[in-house]
Amino acid sequence: NISFSYSSLAPDMLEVRGNGTFEATFSKNILYYLVFSPEVAKQVKTSVLLDYSIINNSTYSIQVTSIINIARGWTSYGPRDIPFTGGVPLGYKGLHMSSYGAGITNRIGFSQYYPNIIYEGSGSFDNWGFGGMMKSTDGGLSWTMIDLGLTYTQIQAIWVSPSDPNVTVVIADTWGFHGGIFKTVNGGLSWQETYSDGGVSLQYVPGGYLYAFAFHALLVSSNLGSTWKIISSPYNLIISGLVINGGKIIDIADDSNSGHLDILQSDDGGKTFNLMQRFPSSNFVDMAVDPSNSSIQWLIDFQNYDTNSLYKSTNGGISWKLVNLTSINMSFALTSVPQVITYDPLNSSIIYLGGDAWVCVSDDGGNTFHQMLNIVTAPNTIVVDPSNDSTIYVGGEQGLFVSH
């Protein structure tokens, strides 16, 4: 009978203490096992080294390794209790904002060196959210609206300067594929539009270049989003994109407006593109690339909740194969298919998938997945802290959640 207590020494460190007794006939020829029965859900498996044993009144430095299962806990960050300046947004519909959460979390952004400063981008003004940008300077405990200068309310992308979190760039739009790219240099006190088209994503690459996938053009900035250069613009509607190998290779998902989705790839930094594969036209697309092997790429071409549209390429996007969900231990998702995919930036063996009311993780490069806690409905974004991959953020229709 052995009991255990748990205490958190730091956000990424858990101390487990146990004491108790068991009886066995001692023999040097017998291998003894201590079996720990988990009191909580199986989520994280780690080895535990026992420092010593006490037999009768004597202490023995017998070190034994065993396995214990620890639950991954999730905390809701709201956002809630958000103070407004200038009155309640027109589309807020009169709900009591002191207790009502911000609803949809579309995107989040933070500097890995200033983790207490978090930017959160919501959806449009409706029952699901306040819309616009919110900011926390205390790790998500409290939030403030920072919309001054933003002329659109749906936030589709957030990039925060790693060295100065006051410098932040966002893509904002509204229904109908209008919008703009905005930049702040004062932590969101004011925003300036730097490009007059909305879009889907921002991606920074070493060397000081920030790429933007606008709706109708591929852009690059050498001054952190203050001005933009159009690399190419022969697109009907860009709905996803990836910058690979420092900008040498660029993938774009272009809705051709003729009933199909074109996957285009450039090997000259985005100047010219070749058609790699054509998929059915979709509601939205998410793409991911293995951070240690760019030949392995994933694509979600979401059609509806019960049509599997998870594809994988093992040759750098030249060809794609539909993933059999049952073969990767995800038969439960056949009626609620994946919608979001993200790699752990520090460990390419770890991949996160999100769908309606679930989040899954793979620790073997996507060969198998197991379900984590059901924490949000339809996650819109999964972000792994690039300096501490035990910290995971999930944003969805019920706000922002974090697990350490």
Side-chain angles (χ1 to χ4, degrees):
N1 296 319
I2 302 178
S3 60
F4 294 92
S5 62
Y6 308 87
S7 61
S8 178
L9 302 181
D12 59 347
M13 184 180 299
L14 183 69
E15 181 184 62
V16 181
R17 289 183 175 271
N19 61 80
T21 60
F22 71 97
E23 293 183 2
T25 302
F26 179 76
S27 171
K28 294 182 179 180
N29 299 320
I30 297 177
L31 179 63
Y32 293 92
Y33 293 90
L34 290 180
V35 179
F36 298 86
S37 298
E39 300 176 359
V40 290
K42 175 183 177 182
Q43 295 296 337
V44 178
K45 185 176 288 187
T46 182
S47 62
V48 176
L49 188 66
L50 303 184
D51 293 324
Y52 58 85
S53 302
I54 298 178
I55 302 177
N56 295 326
N57 293 322
S58 300
T59 300
Y60 297 87
S61 58
I62 301 174
Q63 296 188 331
V64 183
T65 298
S66 188
I67 298 294
I68 190 169
N69 295 298
I70 304 172
R72 175 179 290 282
W74 294 90
T75 302
S76 171
Y77 274 13
R80 295 181 180 273
D81 302 323
I82 304 169
F84 287 97
T85 57
V88 179
L90 292 176
Y92 184 53
K93 300 186 179 181
L95 293 171
H96 193 271
M97 60 187 175
S98 66
S99 60
Y100 189 70
I104 288 178
T105 294
N106 273 351
R107 298 292 182 265
I108 68 164
F110 57 91
S111 165
Q112 64 194 80
Y113 304 112
Y114 301 88
N116 284 334
I117 300 176
I118 305 173
Y119 291 87
E120 190 262 10
S122 186
S124 60
F125 292 154
D126 55 25
N127 276 334
W128 291 104
F130 299 145
M133 286 290 295
M134 282 157 277
K135 179 183 179 182
S136 173
T137 58
D138 55 14
L141 298 178
S142 62
W143 297 86
T144 303
M145 293 291 293
I146 51 169
D147 278 352
L148 184 61
L150 289 179
T151 53
Y152 301 93
T153 60
Q154 292 186 140
I155 307 302
Q156 301 295 355
I158 303 173
W159 176 79
V160 181
S161 170
S163 60
D164 183 2
N166 288 316
V167 177
T168 299
V169 180
V170 303
I171 298 179
D173 63 25
T174 186
W175 300 113
F177 302 107
H178 305 291
I181 302 177
F182 299 82
K183 180 178 180 178
T184 180
V185 295
N186 54 21
L189 295 177
S190 61
W191 297 86
Q192 291 76 42
E193 186 178 69
T194 61
Y195 190 78
S196 58
D197 188 19
V200 293
S201 64
L202 296 162
Q203 190 171 341
Y204 180 81
V205 300
Y209 293 99
L210 181 63
Y211 287 81
F213 292 88
F215 287 136
H216 305 100
L218 171 64
L219 311 172
V220 67
S221 173
S222 59
N223 52 20
L224 305 183
S226 294
T227 59
W228 297 91
K229 176 185 176 182
I230 297 177
I231 302 176
S232 55
S233 58
Y235 313 107
N236 177 66
L237 182 65
I238 296 176
I239 56 176
S240 189
L242 281 175
V243 180
I244 305 169
N245 291 344
K248 296 179 181 178
I249 299 175
I250 297 175
D251 288 352
I252 282 180
D254 183 28
D255 190 334
S256 68
N257 201 28
S258 58
H260 54 258
L261 176 78
D262 291 337
I263 303 300
L264 310 173
Q265 187 173 90
S266 169
D267 59 6
D268 58 8
K271 297 176 182 177
T272 60
F273 281 85
N274 297 312
L275 175 64
M276 308 306 291
Q277 190 152 333
R278 183 161 282 172
F279 293 93
S281 184
S282 65
N283 289 315
F284 59 84
V285 170
D286 200 15
M287 305 172 73
V289 59
D290 187 324
S292 63
N293 181 3
S294 60
S295 296
I296 301 176
Q297 300 179 21
W298 298 77
L299 169 75
I300 296 175
D301 177 28
F302 183 79
Q303 309 290 319
N304 53 61
Y305 289 109
D306 57 2
T307 300
N308 178 27
S309 53
L310 176 64
Y311 294 87
K312 182 179 181 180
S313 172
T314 57
N315 55 14
I318 296 174
S319 61
W320 297 83
K321 183 177 180 180
L322 185 67
V323 176
N324 185 320
L325 293 180
T326 301
S327 70
I328 60 173
N329 195 35
M330 289 185 57
S331 58
F332 72 90
L334 293 173
T335 57
S336 177
V337 298
Q339 301 176 44
V340 182
I341 184 167
T342 301
Y343 267 95
D344 182 329
L346 302 181
N347 185 346
S348 60
S349 296
I350 300 177
I351 307 173
Y352 295 92
L353 273 176
D356 196 33
W358 58 265
V359 175
C360 278
V361 63
S362 170
D363 56 11
D364 57 11
N367 293 320
T368 58
F369 285 81
H370 63 266
Q371 196 166 357
M372 304 173 73
L373 297 183
N374 300 336
I375 57 173
V376 293
T377 300
N380 297 318
T381 184
I382 303 174
V383 178
V384 181
D385 188 332
S387 62
N388 178 7
D389 60 358
S390 66
T391 299
I392 305 165
Y393 297 88
V394 177
E397 292 182 3
Q398 296 174 348
L400 177 62
F401 292 77
V402 66
S403 175
H404 296 290

